[in-house]
Amino acid sequence: MRLWMLIIAVIILSFISLFIGAINIKPSDLLNWESLETQIFLISRLPRLLAIILAGAGMGIAGLIMQSLSRNKFVSPTTAGTLDAAKLGIIISMIFFTGMSYIGQIVFSFAFALIGTFIFMQLLERIKFKDAVFVPLIGIMYGNIVGAISTFLAYEADILQNVDTFFQGSFTLVVSGRYELLYVAVPAIIIAYIYANKFTVAGMGEDFAKNVGLSYRTVLNIGLIIVAVISTTVILTVGVIPFLGLIVPNLVSLYLGDNLRKTIPHTIFMGAAFLLICDIISRLIVHPFEIPVNTTVAVIGSAIFLIMLFRGKAYAKK
């Protein structure tokens, strides 16, 4: 698939997304800048579109980096406990540091996401799996343990319902002034592109990286920081979006290979297109109402994930 095809797909899907909602808005309505439709378009529709594109592109890049550094196609922020660790950080800040500012919560969540991802990477280094399928299973188990701790703390503090609502992946409440944190993903993606070749080399293994003069640990830490930053911004803005960072990089690698310098642009637009499609479906199924986008992503993503698992298992037996 050509990059220009993905760009055109994102443009078309973006146009469709802008004019789908509970209130019917036509392009001609935007000619009157003082109309209610124009205000809704500028305050709600446009910020929502930007949030979807940034979240889709960011989570796709985060998954791509994790898969490259872990040398496993089944690893992503969803299957490595990154999102669960970020959730735990937010819950702890809400319970034990009630006076903490929003910036403080961001830093706290980022720290937990970084530590949680680092722990998972250490597990992969210490436990050598002959079958790549076991890696995401271990990651899901690890994430469930972290998630269980979060649920217990939230239950004890009697904020379980609030927490579930807060982390529900949805763009319903995204309006102007409530999504700008996602712009942090832009410099993170730029840094990822700058370090793309180094991530590719690091993905070949620590020994190979050292033999060509690359500081493996430095590159690994930079990659984990990028993943933690993107995961934190997404989860604090729209909640948990599962499988996105797992599916998109795999779809891109099927036709483009594993050179990150080539795959990053494709992953950006593929992630945005995938999330746009899921969001449009979520808004049309029960129109004029909508279901959380994480539900749609989970259904479609889990189906694709199972197909990849079975394909990987079949390939391993050959």
Side-chain angles (χ1 to χ4, degrees):
M1 184 178 294
R2 302 292 185 181
L3 181 60
W4 65 266
M5 297 173 65
L6 289 174
I7 295 175
I8 291 176
V10 170
I11 293 173
I12 294 173
L13 292 169
S14 297
F15 183 81
I16 295 173
S17 175
L18 286 173
F19 297 98
I20 293 178
I23 297 178
N24 185 31
I25 298 178
K26 300 185 295 294
S28 59
D29 296 329
L30 304 179
L31 298 177
N32 183 1
W33 284 92
E34 297 182 356
S35 65
L36 176 62
E37 289 80 3
T38 302
Q39 296 304 310
I40 293 174
F41 183 87
L42 295 176
I43 296 174
S44 177
R45 299 285 177 86
L46 188 58
R48 177 173 182 145
L49 172 63
L50 294 174
I52 294 171
I53 293 175
L54 291 171
M59 291 303 294
I61 294 299
L64 179 65
I65 293 173
M66 290 198 69
Q67 290 175 16
S68 177
L69 295 179
S70 65
R71 287 170 287 170
N72 190 289
K73 290 297 183 180
F74 298 132
V75 173
S76 74
T78 304
T79 58
T82 303
L83 298 181
D84 297 283
K87 286 171 56 178
L88 178 60
I90 296 173
I91 291 173
I92 289 178
S93 67
M94 292 170 62
I95 296 174
F96 299 104
F97 305 96
T98 54
M100 182 175 289
S101 64
Y102 182 61
I103 299 298
Q105 287 185 337
I106 294 174
V107 174
F108 220 78
S109 177
F110 164 74
F112 271 74
L114 182 61
I115 294 172
T117 308
F118 180 79
I119 291 175
F120 176 75
M121 296 296 289
Q122 290 298 309
L123 287 174
L124 293 188
E125 288 186 8
R126 295 180 180 275
I127 306 175
K128 303 297 182 181
F129 296 101
K130 295 182 179 179
D131 194 336
V133 175
F134 284 115
V135 175
L137 298 180
I138 294 297
I140 292 172
M141 291 170 59
Y142 167 66
N144 286 338
I145 293 173
V146 177
I149 297 173
S150 302
T151 302
F152 173 77
L153 292 175
Y155 175 78
E156 288 294 316
D158 197 24
I159 60 171
L160 186 58
Q161 185 174 0
N162 294 336
V163 168
D164 289 339
T165 303
F166 183 81
F167 292 125
Q168 187 178 53
S170 176
F171 294 94
T172 306
L173 300 178
V174 172
V175 293
S176 179
R178 294 193 59 179
Y179 80 101
E180 284 77 8
L181 178 63
L182 283 172
Y183 284 118
V184 176
V186 175
I189 292 174
I190 293 174
I191 295 173
Y193 186 77
I194 294 173
Y195 277 82
N197 290 334
K198 294 183 179 180
F199 289 146
T200 302
V201 174
M204 297 180 182
E206 184 174 0
D207 293 335
F208 181 86
K210 289 181 177 179
N211 287 336
V212 297
L214 183 69
S215 178
Y216 177 79
R217 289 295 169 184
T218 301
V219 175
L220 178 64
N221 291 334
I222 291 174
L224 295 183
I225 290 173
I226 292 173
V227 171
V229 167
I230 294 175
S231 300
T232 300
T233 56
V234 171
I235 198 172
L236 282 171
T237 306
V238 298
V240 177
I241 302 178
F243 294 108
L244 180 60
L246 172 66
I247 303 302
V248 172
N250 276 280
L251 293 177
V252 173
S253 66
L254 285 177
Y255 66 87
L256 206 59
D258 296 324
N259 187 330
L260 266 67
R261 180 72 72 174
K262 294 181 179 180
T263 58
I264 283 180
H266 288 253
T267 303
I268 291 172
F269 289 99
M270 177 77 78
F274 182 80
L275 194 55
L276 276 167
I277 292 172
C278 292
D279 184 67
I280 291 171
I281 293 173
S282 299
R283 295 156 77 177
L284 290 177
I285 289 179
V286 290
H287 185 78
F289 307 102
E290 64 179 90
I291 61 177
V293 70
N294 71 336
T295 303
T296 308
V297 174
V299 172
I300 298 175
S302 59
I304 300 176
F305 179 55
L306 288 174
I307 292 173
M308 289 192 300
L309 279 177
F310 288 127
R311 285 188 62 208
K313 195 72 175 178
Y315 179 79
K317 290 182 178 179
K318 292 181 181 181

